[in-house]
Each structure stands twice: as C-alpha cells, then as structure tokens.
Amino acid sequence: MPPRSRSRKLATVKSPTALKLPLPPRRKLPPDLKKYFDLCDEKIGFLPNVLHAYSFDETKLRAFIAMYNDLMLGDSELTKLEREMIAVVVSAANRCYYCLVAHGQAVRDMSGDPALGEMLVMNHRVAKVSKRQRAMLDFAHRLTTTPAEAGEEARQALRKAGWSDRAIWDIAAITGFFNMTNRLATATDMMPNEEYHGRSRE
Amino acid sequence: MPPRSRSRKLATVKSPTALKLPLPPRRKLPPDLKKYFDLCDEKIGFLPNVLHAYSFDETKLRAFIAMYNDLMLGDSELTKLEREMIAVVVSAANRCYYCLVAHGQAVRDMSGDPALGEMLVMNHRVAKVSKRQRAMLDFAHRLTTTPAEAGEEARQALRKAGWSDRAIWDIAAITGFFNMTNRLATATDMMPNEEYHGRSRE
Amino acid sequence: MPPRSRSRKLATVKSPTALKLPLPPRRKLPPDLKKYFDLCDEKIGFLPNVLHAYSFDETKLRAFIAMYNDLMLGDSELTKLEREMIAVVVSAANRCYYCLVAHGQAVRDMSGDPALGEMLVMNHRVAKVSKRQRAMLDFAHRLTTTPAEAGEEARQALRKAGWSDRAIWDIAAITGFFNMTNRLATATDMMPNEEYHGRSRE
Amino acid sequence: MPPRSRSRKLATVKSPTALKLPLPPRRKLPPDLKKYFDLCDEKIGFLPNVLHAYSFDETKLRAFIAMYNDLMLGDSELTKLEREMIAVVVSAANRCYYCLVAHGQAVRDMSGDPALGEMLVMNHRVAKVSKRQRAMLDFAHRLTTTPAEAGEEARQALRKAGWSDRAIWDIAAITGFFNMTNRLATATDMMPNEEYHGRSRE
Amino acid sequence: MPPRSRSRKLATVKSPTALKLPLPPRRKLPPDLKKYFDLCDEKIGFLPNVLHAYSFDETKLRAFIAMYNDLMLGDSELTKLEREMIAVVVSAANRCYYCLVAHGQAVRDMSGDPALGEMLVMNHRVAKVSKRQRAMLDFAHRLTTTPAEAGEEARQALRKAGWSDRAIWDIAAITGFFNMTNRLATATDMMPNEEYHGRSRE
Amino acid sequence: MPPRSRSRKLATVKSPTALKLPLPPRRKLPPDLKKYFDLCDEKIGFLPNVLHAYSFDETKLRAFIAMYNDLMLGDSELTKLEREMIAVVVSAANRCYYCLVAHGQAVRDMSGDPALGEMLVMNHRVAKVSKRQRAMLDFAHRLTTTPAEAGEEARQALRKAGWSDRAIWDIAAITGFFNMTNRLATATDMMPNEEYHGRSRE
C-alpha cells in the first residue's frame, strides 16, 4: 500500500523539507534548545517539523521560537484559540499544507469542535463564529489576499466589532507572521508530522 | 460545549441547507427513491445530505442521481479513486465546504492514505501522485479556475500523460459536474453530515 | 472565401468536438432518442451539436437531457427567458463560445430584442433589465466568478429583490449547470451549429 | 414589445452617453467636421455614436479622429481586418459593449465570416486564425490584461511569428488605443448605434 | 560603477525603446516639430523620450501631442496637478516604469510635496488628499483595473464627491489615455530620461 | 504650503502608525534597547519608525530586531544589496508604502544606482540585473503573489540560476519576512521617516 510506505519513508528521512540542508542530531544542540525540543516531545508527543527544519541554524531557530511564542502564547486580548483560527484562515488563503495540518489540528483540539478546524481550512465563511471573531477572520483574510487595501476602513470594521487598537496590532502581526511561515513552508516543501492527521477528530 | 450543542442542533434541523424548502419525510417518497435512500443508510451508514436536500423535488433528485452515478460509478478509464480526487481538487479551488468534507473522506477511505485527502483539500501540488494523475488534477484545476483557457494545449498535456480522448471527456465532465454541485452547495449553504469528519483518519 | 469553406468543412466533420469519439449515425440510436433528435430538427431546424456530441454514450446523453429539460423547461418562478439570461451571463463569465452562441440566440429570440442577447454576452451590466432580473444576474455572475463568497449576504440580496427560496434554488442550480456545460464545451472545443449566428438579429 | 420601444427611445435621445453634456446640432459644427460627419452617413449609413459623443468639444473630437484614422486606416504591415481583430480582442478582455458591437461588426464585414467576429468577442482562442494572427491577438490580450508583464519575451513571440519591430509598435499602439476608448465608453455608458446588430450576419 | 556606465550608454543610444525603428535627427524634422522639441529643451531641460520615440512617424507624433496637450494642459475642472495625479495612479496600477518616473516627478514638482508622488506611485490609498481627489483617484484606479465594472454606481460616487458630468468625461478620458500610453511604453520597453529621478526630491 | 505643514505635523505626532498605542520615551527603554536606538541615530541619522512603532512592547521589539538582523545582516550567499532588492520587490507586489520607501532608499544607496531602486519599486522586470538576480527576484515575486504555486519547479529555476539550497532558504525566508512586515505596516498605516525620500537620488 503506497500511503503506508510513504509514511514509513518520511519517518527515516533526514529533513522535513525538499532542501538539502544538514540538520544536527538533537544531542548536538546547545542545552537550552535540546531542552526545548525535549519539552515539545513531552507536551505535544513529537517535535514539530518546523523546529526540526530550522535547526540547521541556531540563530534562525531562536528568532523563530521567540517570535512564535510571543505572538501565539504571550499576553493578548485574543484567546489562544482565536490566534490559531487566524493561523488557519491565513494558511487557507495561501494554501500552505504544513500550516493547515498543524494549526487545523490546534483549532480542533482547543475548540473541542472537530468540524470547526475543517471549516476554517475549507472556507471560513461557513463557520458559525461570533461576529467579533468573524470580523477578525475577515480582516486576516483580506490582509492576506489584498494587503494593499487593508487600511482605515478595515481597521474601523475591527473596532466596530469590539477590538481595541492593541488587539488590531496583534491580529495584524499574527496575520503577517503566517504569511511569512506559509511562504517559507511552501517554498521549501516542508511536510508536517503525520501525527497531526488523526488527532482531535471526535 | 458549543460544538456539541451545534452538532445536536444540526441533527434535529429539518433541512441541511439555508433555504426554507419543505422536505418530505422519507416514508412519503416513491418506493424506488425510498429504497435508494435506505440503501444509502445501509452502505454509507447515513443518507448524504445532498440527497436529502434534493428530495423537495423528485425530478431534480432523479436527474442528480442519474448523472452522479454515471460519472462517479459508471464505466471509465479513471478509477473511482481518481474521480474522487478530481472532485476534491475542483471543490478545493471553489472552496466548497460540503463537497470537500464528503469527497475528502472518500479519498481518504478509497486510498487508505489519511494524508492524501488532506493534501488534495489543502494544495494538490504537494501530493505525491503519479505523473498521469498529476496531469489529470492539473487539468481539472485549470479548467475550474480559468475555464476559457483550457483548450488544445491543455488537452495535449493530458494525451501526453497517457489519457485517451474518451478519458478526457470523463475528466472534463467530472470537473464540470463538481463545478455545478460546488455552486449549488455554497449558494444554499448546504452542510455535510457530521459523520464524515471522523472517518478514515488512520 | 475562407468562411464559406470553413462552414462546408464543418458540415462533413463527424464530431462537433476536438475529441475523437465515434458518434453513431442517428438511425442506430434507440427509438426514443432518435425521436427526440427528430423533434429537435422539427422544432429548432437542426440538432444542437451538444446532443450530437453526447450521443457517443446513451446514459450520459439521457442524464444530460433529463437535467437540462428540468432546469430550462420545467416548472419554476423564473420565466424561460430569465433562465436563458442566466445561461448567457454565466457563459460570458466563463467565455464559453458554444453556450454563448446557442443561448445568446435564445435570448434574442425569446425577448424579441436583438440587442439584449448581445448585452448579456458582452457585459450584462449595461442591459436595461428589471431590478429583480439584475439581482438574479448579479448573483449568477458572482456565484460563477467567486463561488466561495456567494453566501448569506448574496441570498439576502436575492430575497430583497423579490425572489423566494424556491427561486434561489433554481437560480443556483441553473448557474451551476452552465458552469458544468461551459467547462465540458470548452475542454472538448465543442463548436455550435452555424445556424445560430444569423437568427433573431432583427 | 419592449425592445422596439427601447430602440425608438434611443433614436430620440440627445446623447449616446449617460453624461449630461450638451451636444451641438450637426449644422452648428465647423464645415470640415460637418463634412466629415456627412461622409460617415454616406459611407457607413449613420454617424457612429462615439463621434456624436465627442462633438461636445471640437478639440477632443479632432484629436480622436486624427489618432483613430492613423491607427486604423493609415499605413501599416497589419491589414485593416487585423487591426479590427485587435480592437475586438482588447474590447472583449475589457468587456466594452460599445466597442464590441461596433468592431465586431467590422470584423464580420471585412472577413465575410459571420462567425469570426463572434469568436473574437466571446473567446478569441477558439478562432481558426493564422499562427501569425494568433500571436498578434495573444499579445494584444496579454498587454491588455497583464500590461506589466508584456516585455521582451512577449516581443520575441511576435518576432518569431513573423512581425517586424515596426508592426510591434502598431500592435501595441492599437492595443493601447482600445484600452483607452474601452474605458471612456464604459465610464460614460456610451451606447452603440442599433444598426450594427443586424449587419453582416450571413 | 555599473549605474554610471548604464546612464552613459543610454545617452548615446539611438532609441529610447527596445524596437529598432530609425529615428530622424532633430534637424530633419519639419520646422514646427523641431520648434516644439526645442521648446521642450528650454522648458523641461530635455526632450521627453516619449516624443523622441514617436518621432519615427510624424503623423503619429502629431496625434499624440494633440491629444496629450488637450487632456493635460487644456481647459478642465481638474487642476493640472490633479491630472498628473491620475496619470500616476493609473500607471501604478499598470506598473509602467516610464510613466511612473515622468509623471511621479510632475506630481512632486507641482505639489511641492516630495512624498506625495511617492505615495501615488506606491499605494495611492495612503495619500492624504481631499475627499474629492480621493474619489477621483479611486475611480481612475477602478476604471483601470476592472473597467467592465465602472458604471453608474461609480459615476454616482464621483458626482457625490462634487464632480460635474463634464469633469467625469475628463477623468475617464485621462484615465483612458494613460491606459493607452502605459501599454505602448511597456510593450516597447520605453525608458524615461534619467534626469527625472533626482528632481523635486526636497 | 500643504506638504511642508504635513511634514511638520508628522514630526510632532506621537506614533508613526494609525493605532493609539502608548509609546515610551526613549529614556525609559532598557539600556540595551536605548543604546540600539542611539546607534540607529548615529549610523542612519534617525530612528526608523518601525522600531519606534514596535517600542510599545519590548518582547515584540526584541523579536523583530533579532529576526531582521539575522536575515538582512547575518551570513548568507546573498549580498546585502540582493536582500534589499528582494525586500523592495516583495513590497512592490504588496504595495507597502513604508517598506518601499525605506528599502527603496537602501537599494539606491547600496547600489549607487539611483534608477535601480525606482525600477524595483515600479516594475522589477525592467531592471537590468544579472540572470542570477533576476531568477531570485522572479522567485520572490511569485512566492509573494501566488504562494501556493511556488514548488519544485520554482526551486529548480533558482538552482539552475546558480543558487544553492542554503540560498533558497534565505531567499524564501526574506521573501516571507517582508510579506509579514508589509502586512503589519499597511494594517497599522505605518509611515516611514521623511528623511528617506531625498536620499541617494544622484
């Protein structure tokens, strides 16, 4: 069966991307990064491939982790689920396989709603979210697909839906961040961990 | 938990669409259609919502079933899986939630590859399919997104990949069919059966 | 004169498409289909090429006829002219030569307005139709060009213009149908009967 | 019959556009322009509405006539029919009703091929023109729809098809000219003379 | 230094375009055109390359000058700066290097605002112009990018912003004109005079 | 003179964005950040507004600086000028005023070619760069405008032009980065320092 053999092959492949960049074995990483990777194993059950892919260069890996953790886990008016919802809507507009698999799972998991992640992946307009969240997702979609047009009118729509200027920064920054990672992942053909697919489906 | 309550609400809703069209109880259907619906229950485990939605009008329901069954189950050079792959790629281009959920599940099920359906939903270019299948999917995508440009050059690409003129008709007809159903489903906000989501995930 | 020679060549060509599919002589068709084709000759003056093209496969031909006749000739709030207007607007968006020629003629004929068919072919926004019809055509155009966005807001615009939910189904179904046939016709390079061009011009 | 009454109304309307600009009676025009208009009546059978529309300002009218006559009737490697073919393909891309009606008729008339004008209006890719003409039309279409991308590669395609640098200037200039007039006609809702519709149909 | 050598090369090149069209030395031009070119030298400091490029054909050169001078320098409700603003916004949408350099400089010069020209080149939505001017620029942008859609609704937006029907003609005509010249300049790879770059920067 | 008064107003404005986020006076920043800002003053002559804007949150500011400095100033096969060229081409596709002004100046400055920055801002296809650089810029443009399509074929074009897999990562990462910052800048209406405009023009 080809799919099975494909999965097995991925497991032994050195890099999760199509680029030939030598990735260090985890034991050769500096202690703090090794510890961070071990923590991922413990909390998530595996090391997300994006971190593995970035490990060819410590500086880049640290910069990525710092920005990601601030935006997705730091203080914000947005709940963590809302930030993941933005991640999926942006990645859907850009059709980024890696980010849709990883963050689609996060939305399914955090929301406890197996259909919500699918809706955001497929067409966020069908999702029954609050008006406030819908405004947030429409803004993220618009800023992704027609960035030159997301000006004062778009900000006013967010304010009208109840978002503060501080939240607008975060919505814009998270939207921007996934417009970055989507492009890096697609340009390098980064493949997500197979474990995401079966999770949070019921 | 909102998602649960949402599922429960859907289960008691009369119509799977946003249109207020009175749908007959199954027992009031003509015997042959009732039998067909019962057969769906038996084989699939439930009645696909699209059939339920169409049941407000017998003539339309019969025409839909006849065309669907011929294209997706009748004789063709294309395997049934290949036809489902086209269904998903077309529905992805059109971002049709109903068709992506239903036919994405079919691809996962028929291929035994839980990731393949996701790849076709998210970005068919990352799927590791045969050259012949890739040509088929590229044609379906092109005919969907820029129909005016899918002429002789596009047909030659299919022929070069090994498809006969008879197969080209089928690829075009199936691509056309889902361009029809995608629009009907989105325009009526047709919701897929919840059962699809958890199936064929491992 | 090149056009004349071109017409003559078409007249002797076996198939109205670019695909090499053997088409049966009419006398070899089953009696009911032969009778249907004869009726076309009688009523229209010729057999529309789309039916000739479909005749390589009886099942497909019957399914096409059944769906076409229901949508375009069956009961509906939409007049037959309105259905033809949708056919032309959809085909204009998709730039389908076959359907524009055939259904453009139908609009010219049914409306008695030689300019109306041309307006719908060229840019439906310049046509002086009723507000109700304009809403119908705008919906069909939008559902054709940006299907993912034709949701509740678009349905409300139709309802506001006076269309019932039952009519919305028909508008969506006819729009969907021509999105199917446009793609089949373009992908097979189906040529319309030359007779359409000169008709209903005054 | 609405279409008839519509035609009659147009005949008595003062301006062929939606703008309220006072147009002088023909007898008040300077002798040379009056003579030019009379010549149009004689040769074409009517005064093209674009000239009528421009007559609110003599300087603009003269500038338009000078540029039009040089491009469409002056010396060039392109035949007059080829220039009209460009006019139609550009106007089709821009969906300009006025120019499609007027220049579509010119293509039908000059070619003696009632279908050729329709093909260029509806989808120039289906027209059976020479390779040289196809290259010319593809260039005009590309320069119209994605002007920023029509650079050296596009010029080389024209040269390869047999066009000189002098011809490339003319193809670009005619394409540019109709990109101008299309926008002026659409922005002012300029209506073409009804007489065009029935002409050159057989 | 490559840029310097590049500038020097341009200075000795016979044509400012990529087309091999023999351009006459200025002394061989008819006296009135020679005088016009000398006047450019005197007023602008150099002969704009577009005039040099057009000089291969007197008739075309005269037609271009006549139309340009009427639209950009003749009577109009629009100030000369406003007309240059339209030129830049249209050329930005079409990404025409020649016109952006030449008319961007004109906006910087006429407005005395070194940033305004840059804003219009880069994204006119960020420019702090009057509501009336913003409506004018939005119309020009819309008529350029989606010409088929710039109908009555678009005209009403201009009227609401205070523009007369006479002004609407001029806005449409200037927008159309630069849609023409942008295409001619890009299709011939016309290069602007280097002198524009450094001017009006403070 | 309106432009002058506009400049003066900007100088006294508290925030360089349209968001009401309280920005700390520089003396209240932690010593290392204060030192970094002072270094900017010294080296550039002013503090780039993007850093000022980010200063409402130290964590975000540090993460931005770390990623920016690694990508634009760290080790890479790409020269610093080449990285700035990508920044401009990406920002041109997204029409980001802030980034075009700031990085357009950097290209003018680093290349010593006042026209090169303008070409990349307006239409990178007209710039006379090396084949290797053209491949890099075409990839960045494609990854920006159609991210879903930038796969193996696009990577092969880069490899063929002489870029290593390590360089492909950097090209993708820098392209991604400016797709992020473009969106943050546009969504917050971030204005660039006025000093950029006049610099490096000769």
Side-chain angles (χ1 to χ4, degrees):
Chain A
M1 285 180 308
R4 296 283 151 148
S5 68
R6 193 179 161 282
S7 296
R8 273 199 300 269
K9 209 165 60 185
L10 272 177
T12 60
V13 138
K14 284 203 183 66
S15 167
T17 77
L19 300 184
K20 281 176 193 144
L21 299 177
L23 303 177
R26 198 186 291 190
R27 62 188 158 74
K28 297 228 174 157
L29 288 171
D32 65 322
L33 288 172
K34 189 185 168 305
K35 198 171 160 186
Y36 187 77
F37 280 23
D38 290 346
L39 194 70
C40 288
D41 278 351
E42 198 185 306
K43 283 205 159 176
I44 309 174
F46 55 84
L47 177 70
N49 279 343
V50 64
L51 297 176
H52 187 200
Y54 257 115
S55 69
F56 78 91
D57 185 297
E58 270 180 47
T59 310
K60 293 181 196 308
L61 175 58
R62 285 182 204 281
F64 175 81
I65 291 173
M67 194 175 276
Y68 181 92
N69 285 352
D70 171 62
L71 288 174
M72 300 303 281
L73 307 172
D75 278 349
S76 175
E77 276 178 42
L78 284 71
T79 67
K80 283 171 194 165
L81 171 57
E82 286 167 342
R83 300 181 228 182
E84 292 289 346
M85 289 165 72
I86 293 176
V88 176
V89 166
V90 170
S91 305
N94 291 328
R95 300 195 183 277
C96 175
Y97 180 62
Y98 185 100
C99 301
L100 285 170
V101 168
H103 296 280
Q105 190 271 332
V107 168
R108 295 196 306 271
D109 178 45
M110 290 183 182
S111 67
D113 182 352
L116 182 62
E118 297 288 87
M119 286 171 163
L120 298 186
V121 163
M122 292 164 180
N123 188 344
H124 81 273
R125 297 169 195 85
V126 305
K128 271 66 178 183
V129 295
S130 69
K131 281 201 178 179
R132 180 178 154 95
Q133 289 172 336
R134 176 66 191 261
M136 172 190 83
L137 297 179
D138 284 350
F139 183 91
H141 186 267
R142 184 178 186 178
L143 185 56
T144 297
T145 55
T146 53
E149 297 171 20
E152 186 58 23
E153 185 204 352
R155 282 188 295 274
Q156 286 299 20
L158 282 180
R159 288 185 187 114
K160 203 178 150 188
W163 295 104
S164 72
D165 275 26
R166 180 62 179 74
I168 293 176
W169 178 283
D170 288 357
I171 294 170
I174 295 167
T175 299
F177 182 78
F178 286 97
N179 270 286
M180 175 177 70
T181 62
N182 286 177
R183 283 172 175 83
L184 187 60
T186 300
T188 62
D189 202 23
M190 198 181 287
M191 283 291 117
N193 309 63
E194 295 276 327
E195 288 88 343
Y196 288 117
H197 292 297
R199 291 194 175 185
S200 319
R201 293 294 183 185
E202 319 247 348
Chain B
M1 287 180 304
R4 295 283 149 152
S5 67
R6 193 180 161 281
S7 295
R8 272 199 302 269
K9 208 165 60 184
L10 272 177
T12 59
V13 139
K14 283 204 186 64
S15 166
T17 76
L19 300 184
K20 281 176 194 143
L21 298 177
L23 302 177
R26 198 186 292 191
R27 62 189 158 74
K28 297 230 174 157
L29 288 171
D32 65 321
L33 288 173
K34 188 185 169 307
K35 200 171 160 185
Y36 187 78
F37 280 23
D38 290 346
L39 195 70
C40 287
D41 278 352
E42 199 185 305
K43 282 205 160 177
I44 309 175
F46 54 83
L47 178 69
N49 279 343
V50 64
L51 296 176
H52 188 201
Y54 258 115
S55 68
F56 78 91
D57 184 297
E58 271 179 47
T59 310
K60 293 182 196 307
L61 174 59
R62 285 182 204 280
F64 176 81
I65 291 173
M67 194 175 276
Y68 182 90
N69 285 352
D70 171 63
L71 287 174
M72 300 304 279
L73 307 173
D75 277 348
S76 174
E77 275 177 44
L78 283 71
T79 67
K80 283 171 193 164
L81 171 57
E82 285 166 344
R83 299 181 227 182
E84 292 289 347
M85 289 165 72
I86 293 176
V88 177
V89 166
V90 169
S91 305
N94 291 328
R95 299 194 183 277
C96 174
Y97 180 62
Y98 185 99
C99 302
L100 285 170
V101 168
H103 296 279
Q105 189 270 330
V107 169
R108 294 195 307 271
D109 178 43
M110 290 185 183
S111 67
D113 182 354
L116 182 62
E118 296 288 87
M119 286 172 164
L120 298 186
V121 163
M122 292 164 179
N123 188 345
H124 81 273
R125 297 169 197 85
V126 304
K128 269 66 176 184
V129 295
S130 69
K131 282 200 177 181
R132 182 177 152 96
Q133 289 173 337
R134 177 65 190 262
M136 174 190 83
L137 297 179
D138 284 349
F139 183 91
H141 186 267
R142 185 179 184 178
L143 185 57
T144 296
T145 54
T146 54
E149 297 172 20
E152 186 59 22
E153 185 203 354
R155 282 187 295 274
Q156 285 299 20
L158 282 180
R159 289 185 187 116
K160 203 177 149 188
W163 295 103
S164 72
D165 274 26
R166 180 65 180 72
I168 293 176
W169 177 283
D170 288 358
I171 295 170
I174 295 166
T175 299
F177 183 79
F178 286 96
N179 270 286
M180 175 177 69
T181 61
N182 287 174
R183 283 173 175 82
L184 187 61
T186 301
T188 61
D189 203 23
M190 197 181 287
M191 282 292 120
N193 308 64
E194 295 276 328
E195 290 88 341
Y196 288 117
H197 292 296
R199 291 194 177 186
S200 320
R201 293 295 184 184
E202 318 247 349
Chain C
M1 284 180 309
R4 295 282 150 148
S5 68
R6 193 179 161 282
S7 295
R8 273 198 301 271
K9 208 164 60 183
L10 271 176
T12 60
V13 140
K14 282 204 184 64
S15 165
T17 76
L19 301 184
K20 281 174 195 146
L21 297 178
L23 303 177
R26 199 186 290 190
R27 62 188 158 74
K28 297 229 175 157
L29 289 171
D32 66 321
L33 288 173
K34 188 184 169 307
K35 199 172 160 186
Y36 187 77
F37 279 24
D38 290 345
L39 195 69
C40 288
D41 278 352
E42 198 186 307
K43 282 206 160 176
I44 309 175
F46 55 84
L47 178 70
N49 279 342
V50 64
L51 297 176
H52 187 202
Y54 257 115
S55 69
F56 79 92
D57 185 297
E58 271 180 45
T59 310
K60 293 182 196 306
L61 174 59
R62 284 183 205 280
F64 176 82
I65 291 173
M67 194 175 277
Y68 182 92
N69 285 351
D70 171 62
L71 288 174
M72 300 304 281
L73 307 172
D75 277 350
S76 174
E77 275 179 43
L78 284 70
T79 66
K80 283 170 194 165
L81 171 57
E82 285 167 344
R83 299 181 228 182
E84 293 289 346
M85 289 165 73
I86 293 176
V88 176
V89 166
V90 170
S91 304
N94 292 327
R95 300 196 183 277
C96 175
Y97 180 62
Y98 185 101
C99 302
L100 285 170
V101 168
H103 296 280
Q105 190 270 330
V107 169
R108 295 195 306 271
D109 178 44
M110 290 183 181
S111 67
D113 182 353
L116 182 62
E118 296 288 88
M119 286 172 162
L120 299 186
V121 164
M122 292 164 178
N123 189 344
H124 82 272
R125 298 170 195 85
V126 304
K128 270 65 176 185
V129 296
S130 68
K131 279 200 179 181
R132 181 178 153 95
Q133 289 173 336
R134 177 64 190 262
M136 174 190 82
L137 296 179
D138 284 349
F139 183 91
H141 186 266
R142 185 178 184 178
L143 185 56
T144 296
T145 54
T146 54
E149 297 171 20
E152 186 58 23
E153 185 204 351
R155 281 188 296 275
Q156 286 299 23
L158 282 179
R159 289 184 187 115
K160 204 178 150 188
W163 296 104
S164 72
D165 275 25
R166 181 63 180 73
I168 293 176
W169 177 283
D170 288 357
I171 294 170
I174 294 167
T175 299
F177 183 78
F178 286 96
N179 271 285
M180 176 177 69
T181 61
N182 287 175
R183 282 171 176 83
L184 187 61
T186 300
T188 62
D189 202 22
M190 197 181 287
M191 283 292 117
N193 308 62
E194 296 276 327
E195 289 87 342
Y196 288 118
H197 292 296
R199 291 192 178 189
S200 320
R201 293 294 183 186
E202 319 246 348
Chain D
M1 288 180 306
R4 294 283 150 147
S5 68
R6 191 180 163 282
S7 295
R8 273 199 301 270
K9 207 164 62 185
L10 271 177
T12 61
V13 139
K14 283 206 184 63
S15 165
T17 76
L19 301 184
K20 282 177 193 143
L21 298 178
L23 302 177
R26 196 186 291 190
R27 62 188 157 75
K28 296 230 173 155
L29 288 171
D32 65 321
L33 288 173
K34 187 184 171 305
K35 197 171 162 187
Y36 187 76
F37 280 22
D38 291 344
L39 195 70
C40 287
D41 278 352
E42 196 185 307
K43 283 204 160 180
I44 309 175
F46 53 84
L47 178 69
N49 279 343
V50 63
L51 297 177
H52 187 200
Y54 257 115
S55 69
F56 79 91
D57 185 297
E58 269 179 49
T59 310
K60 294 182 196 308
L61 175 59
R62 286 182 204 280
F64 176 81
I65 291 173
M67 194 175 276
Y68 182 91
N69 285 351
D70 171 61
L71 287 174
M72 300 304 279
L73 306 173
D75 276 348
S76 175
E77 275 177 44
L78 283 71
T79 66
K80 283 171 194 165
L81 171 57
E82 284 168 343
R83 300 181 227 181
E84 292 289 345
M85 290 166 71
I86 293 176
V88 177
V89 166
V90 169
S91 304
N94 291 329
R95 298 193 185 278
C96 174
Y97 180 62
Y98 185 99
C99 301
L100 285 170
V101 168
H103 296 280
Q105 190 270 332
V107 168
R108 294 196 307 271
D109 177 44
M110 289 184 184
S111 68
D113 182 352
L116 181 62
E118 297 288 88
M119 286 172 163
L120 298 186
V121 164
M122 292 165 179
N123 188 344
H124 81 273
R125 297 168 195 85
V126 304
K128 269 64 176 185
V129 294
S130 68
K131 282 201 177 180
R132 181 179 153 95
Q133 289 172 337
R134 177 65 190 262
M136 173 189 85
L137 297 179
D138 284 350
F139 183 91
H141 186 267
R142 184 178 186 179
L143 184 57
T144 297
T145 55
T146 53
E149 297 172 18
E152 185 59 22
E153 186 203 351
R155 281 187 296 274
Q156 286 299 20
L158 282 180
R159 288 184 188 116
K160 204 178 147 187
W163 295 104
S164 72
D165 274 27
R166 181 64 180 70
I168 293 176
W169 178 283
D170 288 357
I171 295 171
I174 295 167
T175 299
F177 183 79
F178 286 96
N179 271 286
M180 175 177 70
T181 61
N182 287 176
R183 283 172 174 83
L184 186 61
T186 300
T188 62
D189 202 22
M190 196 181 288
M191 282 292 120
N193 308 63
E194 295 277 326
E195 290 87 343
Y196 287 118
H197 292 296
R199 292 194 176 186
S200 319
R201 293 293 183 186
E202 319 247 349
Chain E
M1 286 178 309
R4 294 284 150 147
S5 68
R6 193 180 160 281
S7 296
R8 272 199 301 269
K9 208 164 61 185
L10 271 177
T12 60
V13 140
K14 284 204 181 64
S15 166
T17 77
L19 300 185
K20 281 175 195 142
L21 298 177
L23 302 177
R26 195 184 294 190
R27 62 188 158 74
K28 296 229 173 156
L29 289 172
D32 65 322
L33 289 172
K34 188 184 169 305
K35 198 170 162 189
Y36 187 75
F37 280 24
D38 290 344
L39 195 69
C40 287
D41 278 351
E42 197 185 307
K43 281 205 160 177
I44 309 174
F46 54 85
L47 177 70
N49 279 342
V50 64
L51 297 177
H52 187 201
Y54 257 115
S55 68
F56 78 91
D57 184 297
E58 270 179 48
T59 310
K60 293 181 196 309
L61 175 58
R62 285 182 205 280
F64 175 81
I65 291 173
M67 194 175 277
Y68 182 91
N69 284 352
D70 171 62
L71 288 174
M72 300 304 280
L73 306 173
D75 276 350
S76 175
E77 275 178 44
L78 283 70
T79 66
K80 283 171 193 165
L81 170 58
E82 285 167 343
R83 300 181 228 181
E84 293 289 346
M85 289 166 72
I86 293 176
V88 176
V89 165
V90 169
S91 304
N94 292 327
R95 299 196 184 278
C96 174
Y97 180 62
Y98 185 99
C99 302
L100 286 169
V101 168
H103 296 280
Q105 190 270 331
V107 169
R108 295 195 305 272
D109 177 45
M110 290 184 182
S111 67
D113 182 352
L116 182 62
E118 296 289 86
M119 286 172 163
L120 298 186
V121 164
M122 293 166 178
N123 188 344
H124 81 272
R125 298 169 195 82
V126 304
K128 270 65 175 184
V129 294
S130 68
K131 281 199 177 181
R132 179 178 155 96
Q133 290 172 335
R134 178 64 191 261
M136 172 189 84
L137 297 179
D138 284 350
F139 183 91
H141 187 267
R142 185 178 185 180
L143 185 57
T144 297
T145 56
T146 54
E149 297 171 19
E152 187 57 23
E153 185 203 353
R155 281 187 296 274
Q156 286 299 22
L158 282 180
R159 289 185 187 114
K160 203 178 149 189
W163 296 104
S164 71
D165 275 25
R166 181 63 180 73
I168 293 176
W169 177 284
D170 288 358
I171 294 170
I174 295 167
T175 299
F177 183 79
F178 286 97
N179 271 285
M180 176 177 70
T181 61
N182 287 175
R183 283 171 175 85
L184 187 61
T186 301
T188 61
D189 202 22
M190 198 181 286
M191 283 292 118
N193 308 63
E194 295 276 325
E195 289 88 341
Y196 288 118
H197 292 297
R199 291 193 176 185
S200 320
R201 293 295 184 184
E202 319 247 349
Chain F
M1 286 181 307
R4 295 283 150 149
S5 67
R6 192 180 162 283
S7 295
R8 273 199 301 270
K9 207 163 61 183
L10 271 177
T12 60
V13 141
K14 282 204 185 65
S15 165
T17 77
L19 301 184
K20 282 177 192 142
L21 298 177
L23 303 177
R26 197 186 292 191
R27 63 190 158 72
K28 296 230 174 155
L29 288 171
D32 64 323
L33 287 173
K34 188 186 170 305
K35 199 172 160 186
Y36 187 78
F37 280 22
D38 290 345
L39 196 68
C40 287
D41 278 352
E42 198 186 307
K43 282 205 159 179
I44 309 175
F46 55 85
L47 178 70
N49 279 343
V50 64
L51 297 176
H52 187 202
Y54 257 115
S55 68
F56 78 91
D57 184 296
E58 271 180 46
T59 309
K60 293 181 197 308
L61 175 59
R62 286 182 204 281
F64 175 81
I65 291 173
M67 194 175 277
Y68 181 91
N69 285 351
D70 171 61
L71 287 174
M72 300 303 280
L73 306 172
D75 277 349
S76 174
E77 275 177 43
L78 283 71
T79 66
K80 284 172 193 164
L81 170 58
E82 285 168 343
R83 300 181 228 183
E84 293 289 347
M85 289 165 72
I86 293 176
V88 177
V89 166
V90 169
S91 304
N94 292 327
R95 299 196 183 276
C96 173
Y97 181 62
Y98 185 99
C99 302
L100 284 170
V101 167
H103 297 280
Q105 190 270 330
V107 169
R108 294 197 306 271
D109 177 44
M110 289 183 183
S111 67
D113 182 352
L116 182 62
E118 296 288 87
M119 286 172 164
L120 298 187
V121 163
M122 293 165 179
N123 188 346
H124 82 273
R125 297 168 196 86
V126 304
K128 269 67 175 183
V129 295
S130 69
K131 281 199 177 181
R132 182 178 153 96
Q133 289 173 336
R134 177 66 191 261
M136 174 189 84
L137 297 179
D138 284 349
F139 183 91
H141 186 266
R142 186 178 184 178
L143 185 57
T144 297
T145 55
T146 53
E149 297 171 19
E152 185 59 22
E153 186 203 352
R155 282 187 295 275
Q156 286 299 23
L158 282 180
R159 288 183 188 116
K160 204 178 148 186
W163 296 104
S164 72
D165 275 26
R166 181 63 180 71
I168 293 176
W169 178 284
D170 288 358
I171 295 170
I174 294 166
T175 299
F177 183 78
F178 285 97
N179 271 284
M180 175 176 70
T181 61
N182 287 174
R183 283 171 175 83
L184 186 61
T186 301
T188 62
D189 202 23
M190 196 181 287
M191 282 292 118
N193 308 63
E194 295 276 328
E195 290 88 342
Y196 288 117
H197 292 296
R199 289 194 178 186
S200 319
R201 293 294 183 184
E202 320 244 348

